[in-house]
Amino acid sequence: ATIEERKSEAIDTVASIKEIQADFEKMHADSLAMIELAEEANDPVTADIFTGYAASYHKTLWMIKAYLG
């Protein structure tokens, strides 16, 4: 897996949100890569599924960035 688990220790709110942001950025990038691979394989169903995932991750990233200012 490319998303690593963090150690069980206390961190502040902003640090926590930034870690979540990094995870969502990775998932968004992976979704975009999967869309490209699916299109190259002429698999529109998989491309559509990952388009939905990418849109959801993009929306969440927008909200995270708005929260962080």
Side-chain angles (χ1 to χ4, degrees):
T2 57
I3 296 177
E4 297 179 19
E5 284 191 47
R6 77 176 312 315
K7 294 180 182 179
S8 182
E9 60 189 20
I11 61 173
D12 65 51
T13 303
V14 173
S16 177
I17 298 297
K18 286 182 178 181
E19 287 197 23
I20 293 168
Q21 179 182 11
D23 291 346
F24 270 84
E25 286 171 349
K26 177 63 179 153
M27 292 185 294
H28 183 247
D30 287 350
S31 293
L32 295 177
M34 288 299 297
I35 293 166
E36 191 172 318
L37 288 172
E39 288 174 346
E40 289 173 5
N42 197 27
D43 184 353
V45 174
T46 300
D48 186 55
I49 290 168
F50 279 91
T51 298
Y53 293 156
S56 177
Y57 297 145
H58 182 78
K59 179 181 177 182
T60 302
L61 282 166
W62 179 87
M63 290 186 279
I64 290 170
K65 289 174 185 177
Y67 175 81
L68 292 174

